[in-house]
Amino acid sequence: MSASRRSGTTDELGPDEPGESGGPDLLAALLDGMDAALCAFDADGVVTHWNREAERILGWTAAEAVGRHGFAGWAVRSADAEEVQARLMSAMHAPGRQVHEFALVTKDGGRVLVRTQSAAVRGPDGKPAGVYCAFSEVHAQIDLERSIALSEALLEDASWGVVLVDADLRPAVVNAHAARALGIRRTSALGRPLGELLAQGVEELEAALTHVLAEGAPPAPAEMWVTVRTPGGEKRRCWRSGFLRLASPLAEEPVPLGVGWLFQDVTEARQAEQEAALLRFRTNQLHRAARAAAECEDPVEAATVHLDFALAGFADHALIDRVAGGPREEGEGAPGPVRLVRLAATPAGAPGPSLPSGAAGLPVRYEEGHPALQCVERAGAVRADAGSVPAERAREWALRRQWPGDAVHALCAALRSRGRTLGVVTFLRGAGRSRFERSDTAYAEDVAVRIAALLDLAEALRDRPGERPGE
């Protein structure tokens, strides 16, 4: 509550005539509604105003403060009173505002360090008529400065992306790191829908932002895979994201202003983890396949065991074709076109173990330029894809190559043993899987080496007089 002892000084700070609308009541409301503590002195150094925040900090009420001469004997120690009063009143004859730090005394005898801003109050004639002093606890001022400094640092120099999103889920502030991650200028992102900035992953991100607006910040960061549109094309990235709900500190009820979204790019780390996990799985599959194949009496059966183990998590279908008429020697001039006979294949309609086929020895009707034929001729791996075509055209592409109709990605690896090409193993993936990459080729060639060794063993056993595989 504000109070005044001398109406002359009060007139300089605000209207005090009873007949003037809103006079002392308006002034009291304004002073008491301030977040900072405020007191005022007349030209003689007598306290004329004292608001509620000053009462909260020091404990002295307006009735106890107004009318006292300076702070001596009650709000400061006697030894400091003269210096404090001189520094406060010096603002009456100085231009602008003056900032000081004082140790004031609370009503219960404690001490509190405050930071003050003092300036002169001038009368109608322009001459100094008093001083007003706004003050706050130093630690509160430092906390405010730290908060402002933190906000500025996050939005300028942070080594992770910071985006402030408004209640309509549109970026309101974007820091430099986030702008680089999104491949745009900082100002060009403001007010645009997130769908214009991200090619994929925007639904998941918007769902997270909506949840934060409604429920508050999640207890832990979340990792999101997104596809960013850049001048060089679309790039898939993994962002480890944290979210904070922003609410206005000025409202009585928490009113959401938006969401603070902080993210860091962890794509390389996650890809390395995925590749390491995939390598461990494939190594285990090769080990398990080798142990299971070692229990098979028939080398051809052992070859199909390797095929079945390789299929898990790698492809949807697999085929083994052998070269008709015997293996092709390295550097041998081919007397005629390459012909392949189906040796084994996984069921096309439902999952199950590989089934031996081709007992009649009839060549598969592969058209010229077929990936399997190219694989044998080159003695190396060949990859093929249906491309971005409608499902019906993709089915025609697969059937024309004598593959199951749902195949859209193919990888053929040559079966090589003792410097000869015995055939080809073909792995096929459906539309729900990604295309084969270089790492997939290396794995397929590892499997092909094991299958080729077993087929070579089967050929050797058949050629041995009086002995057949499985006997």
Side-chain angles (χ1 to χ4, degrees):
M1 177 179 180
S2 302
S4 174
R5 186 180 66 90
R6 297 166 65 168
S7 60
T9 304
T10 305
D11 288 341
E12 309 306 330
L13 296 175
D16 195 29
E17 290 77 12
E20 187 168 351
S21 175
D25 292 339
L26 176 59
L27 177 61
L30 289 174
L31 295 181
D32 287 340
M34 294 177 62
D35 292 330
L38 185 135
C39 64
F41 303 89
D42 62 13
D44 297 327
V46 176
V47 178
T48 61
H49 290 78
W50 190 265
N51 73 347
R52 288 188 184 276
E53 184 64 11
E55 178 181 341
R56 185 193 68 80
I57 294 176
L58 297 179
W60 302 95
T61 65
E64 295 170 319
V66 172
R68 291 179 181 265
H69 190 277
F71 287 153
W74 61 289
V76 296
R77 296 190 310 172
S78 299
D80 302 330
E82 184 176 349
E83 178 189 1
V84 170
Q85 188 71 7
R87 292 168 70 181
L88 284 175
M89 298 307 295
S90 66
M92 191 166 60
H93 303 287
R97 293 180 297 175
Q98 291 189 338
V99 178
H100 302 288
E101 288 186 2
F102 303 124
L104 299 183
V105 178
T106 62
K107 186 176 182 179
D108 58 8
R111 300 184 71 194
V112 57
L113 185 63
V114 300
R115 181 174 296 176
T116 66
Q117 294 186 37
S118 304
V121 177
R122 302 189 180 276
D125 55 0
K127 296 181 179 180
V131 174
Y132 80 84
C133 173
F135 63 91
S136 61
E137 297 175 83
V138 167
H139 73 81
Q141 182 72 18
I142 293 176
D143 287 345
L144 175 61
E145 292 176 1
R146 284 174 179 161
S147 298
I148 295 173
L150 174 61
S151 298
E152 292 180 349
L154 285 175
L155 298 177
E156 294 294 338
D157 306 322
S159 59
W160 52 86
V162 179
V163 180
L164 303 186
V165 183
D166 63 21
D168 295 327
L169 306 186
R170 295 173 183 261
V173 180
V174 178
N175 77 340
H177 188 97
R180 289 193 298 270
L182 291 167
I184 56 175
R185 292 181 292 107
R186 293 181 64 179
T187 55
S188 64
L190 304 184
R192 294 171 57 185
L194 293 172
E196 295 183 6
L197 307 178
L198 301 176
Q200 294 180 6
V202 66
E203 295 85 359
E204 182 181 4
L205 176 58
E206 288 184 342
L209 295 172
T210 302
H211 173 81
V212 173
L213 282 172
E215 304 293 337
E223 292 186 359
M224 298 182 177
W225 283 92
V226 300
T227 301
V228 183
R229 295 188 179 97
T230 67
E234 295 183 352
K235 293 184 179 180
R236 185 164 171 77
R237 313 302 296 171
C238 181
W239 289 343
R240 185 172 177 83
S241 302
F243 302 94
L244 298 170
R245 181 166 62 177
L246 306 179
S248 172
L250 303 179
E252 294 184 4
E253 297 293 333
V255 178
L257 296 178
V259 176
W261 170 33
L262 292 81
F263 66 89
Q264 192 170 31
D265 195 319
V266 294
T267 306
E268 285 73 17
R270 294 298 167 264
Q271 287 177 340
E273 291 176 1
Q274 291 175 356
E275 290 171 1
L278 183 61
L279 180 60
R280 286 194 302 269
F281 174 76
R282 290 179 176 177
T283 301
N284 289 337
Q285 285 297 97
L286 291 174
H287 174 71
R288 294 173 60 198
R291 293 185 58 183
E295 303 301 323
C296 298
E297 296 182 3
D298 184 357
V300 175
E301 180 185 355
T304 61
V305 167
H306 274 284
L307 190 67
D308 292 335
F309 273 94
L311 200 65
F314 182 67
D316 298 313
H317 308 287
L319 316 167
I320 298 178
D321 297 325
R322 62 179 176 83
V323 176
R328 291 170 65 90
E329 300 288 345
E330 183 70 23
E332 177 184 349
V338 177
R339 295 185 304 161
L340 297 174
V341 176
R342 181 65 45 80
L343 182 65
T346 55
S354 302
L355 302 176
S357 59
L362 299 176
V364 184
R365 294 180 298 105
Y366 286 150
E367 60 185 11
E368 185 178 354
H370 191 283
L373 300 179
Q374 295 181 35
C375 179
V376 175
E377 292 170 351
R378 301 176 185 177
V382 174
R383 288 180 289 174
D385 290 278
S388 300
V389 297
E392 188 57 35
R393 290 191 59 186
R395 178 177 176 81
E396 294 175 1
W397 176 86
L399 295 177
R400 191 166 63 249
R401 287 159 179 76
Q402 309 302 314
W403 292 333
D406 60 342
V408 295
H409 310 293
L411 172 59
C412 300
L415 301 176
R416 299 278 297 170
S417 179
R418 292 190 293 166
R420 305 174 304 160
T421 301
L422 281 67
V424 59
V425 57
T426 301
F427 294 100
L428 303 168
R429 287 177 176 174
R433 294 178 180 263
S434 62
R435 60 183 301 177
F436 289 100
E437 305 293 344
R438 290 186 179 273
S439 59
D440 299 323
T441 301
Y443 179 62
E445 290 175 339
D446 283 345
V447 176
V449 167
R450 289 163 169 77
I451 294 176
L454 291 167
L455 296 183
D456 198 7
L457 175 61
E459 290 286 343
L461 292 178
R462 271 196 295 269
D463 294 341
R464 186 176 299 178
E467 192 171 334
R468 293 183 298 172
E471 293 186 353

